[in-house]
Amino acid sequence: MESTIVCGAMHFVGFEICKELLNRGCSVIAIDNEEQAERFHLEKWLEIGRNANLMRLSIEEIRDEIDSETVCFIPFIDFLRSSEKMNDLLNTVENLIQMENITEYHIIYPSQYYHSFSDMDKSKLHTIFQKNNRIKKVVEYYAPTLYGPWQPNTYLFQQLIEGKPTDDYLDDQRDAIFIEDAVKEIVGNTKATEHGQSLLLRNVQSDTWRNCILFLNESFSMPDEKKMIDNSDIQIINVKEQRSYQEGLIMQMECFKRFYE
């Protein structure tokens, strides 16, 4: 896997995918419609933008740049809760699948979506792929709550860090994985996957989501526990922690203090 494209490269999961691919020596074309004016966007690109293997291109510029088989990563999970951003993503994918040299698509959904085929945006994405018969490989990953630096405040962890918890959040209360660990598994597993596979990421440590909440606010009123997904038709990828959840959350808190306080 030498040539790659990452959609939503300035977003939470997309940015981490870019970093991991660059660390592995891959060439990365970053697609993102976000402006770079905000301070934290500039900080992200200062971290990776000097890498000679990275290009940030518009969808119109990409076709002339890919002259070999290319793997595309689509962190669908980053585009939830914004109809405008989701429409941009769907339009981007519709353009990308017309490019013959893009032969693999790896899509990252939230784990709650595994049973949610009625979701309108997910259905639209499926339809886009179904209309094109040149695609060689599509793989779906389902990730639980991902946390770490740059987590958006659509997640409860970040809401607690900001001191503004709500009853409206994207978390999967069954599990949580540090973003770096999750992305390493996704990127590292790419070559071993097959067309049509569905894979669920699971932390080998149990109760991580609840432990994270209690670390952030020990008096927080916990929601009712949910059972883990354990279906025979989805492959489980067990993710080992490279950092403790305490270390990961401290990194997330420090990131917030550095750029938002």
Side-chain angles (χ1 to χ4, degrees):
M1 183 177 57
E2 296 181 356
S3 177
T4 63
I5 292 173
V6 180
C7 298
M10 280 192 185
H11 291 65
F12 178 45
V13 179
F15 179 66
E16 199 63 46
I17 291 173
C18 283
K19 283 172 45 179
E20 180 62 22
L21 290 168
L22 291 170
N23 287 340
R24 291 171 180 261
C26 300
S27 64
V28 178
I29 295 176
I31 305 174
D32 207 302
N33 294 326
E34 296 287 316
E35 294 296 328
Q36 295 192 55
E38 293 190 49
R39 184 183 173 193
F40 68 90
H41 287 166
L42 292 171
E43 177 69 16
K44 288 180 179 180
W45 287 103
L46 282 173
E47 184 174 346
I48 64 173
R50 295 187 180 91
N51 193 305
N53 286 335
L54 176 70
M55 291 188 291
R56 183 169 185 248
L57 301 176
S58 68
I59 192 68
E60 293 80 13
E61 298 170 315
I62 290 174
R63 190 181 299 273
D64 293 334
E65 291 293 336
I66 52 174
D67 53 9
S68 60
E69 291 193 353
T70 299
V71 177
C72 181
F73 291 88
I74 304 170
F76 183 98
I77 193 171
D78 279 339
F79 293 83
L80 304 175
R81 300 291 178 88
S82 172
S83 57
E84 182 180 354
K85 289 180 180 179
M86 182 60 72
N87 287 333
D88 283 343
L89 175 67
L90 295 173
N91 290 333
T92 295
V93 173
E94 199 143 21
N95 280 284
L96 289 173
I97 64 173
Q98 305 304 319
M99 302 180 192
E100 294 185 3
N101 283 330
I102 304 176
T103 56
E104 294 186 30
Y105 298 82
H106 295 262
I107 310 168
I108 300 95
Y109 292 109
S111 51
Q112 302 97 308
Y113 274 43
Y114 179 63
H115 293 296
S116 181
F117 290 99
S118 61
D119 177 78
M120 187 64 70
D121 293 320
K122 182 180 179 183
S123 297
K124 288 178 181 177
L125 187 60
H126 277 199
T127 300
I128 289 171
F129 282 109
Q130 288 167 357
K131 290 191 300 186
N132 192 291
N133 58 12
R134 293 180 299 178
I135 298 169
K136 294 182 179 179
K137 183 176 174 180
V138 179
V139 180
E140 295 181 347
Y141 302 83
Y142 292 86
T145 302
L146 301 177
Y147 67 94
W150 310 113
Q151 187 194 54
N153 61 10
T154 47
Y155 290 87
L156 181 57
F157 293 5
Q158 186 62 28
Q159 291 176 11
L160 289 170
I161 289 170
E162 295 180 16
K164 301 175 182 178
T166 72
D167 294 327
D168 183 23
Y169 46 82
L170 292 174
D171 301 47
D172 183 345
Q173 301 158 13
R174 289 164 287 209
D175 198 10
I177 302 174
F178 184 57
I179 181 70
E180 288 183 9
D181 296 338
V183 166
K184 284 181 188 296
E185 286 293 335
I186 291 171
V187 173
N189 198 54
T190 302
K191 288 184 178 180
T193 55
E194 298 177 357
H195 175 67
Q197 267 189 307
S198 294
L199 306 103
L200 172 68
L201 274 63
R202 176 177 293 173
N203 196 330
V204 297
Q205 299 293 327
S206 60
D207 295 325
T208 302
W209 188 86
R210 296 175 67 83
N211 288 336
C212 287
I213 293 294
L214 293 173
F215 180 80
L216 293 170
N217 185 339
E218 61 183 13
S219 62
F220 187 79
S221 179
M222 286 289 186
D224 293 336
E225 288 192 52
K226 294 184 177 180
K227 292 183 179 180
M228 297 291 287
I229 300 172
D230 197 11
N231 292 45
S232 58
D233 59 341
I234 189 168
Q235 181 178 337
I236 305 296
I237 299 180
N238 290 313
V239 181
K240 294 182 179 179
E241 290 183 324
Q242 301 301 311
R243 296 182 187 273
S244 69
Y245 69 85
Q246 296 97 328
E247 290 176 307
L249 290 172
I250 288 170
M251 290 174 64
Q252 184 170 335
M253 289 188 284
E254 289 175 345
C255 180
F256 172 70
K257 289 178 181 178
R258 195 162 64 247
F259 295 100
Y260 293 93
E261 287 190 341

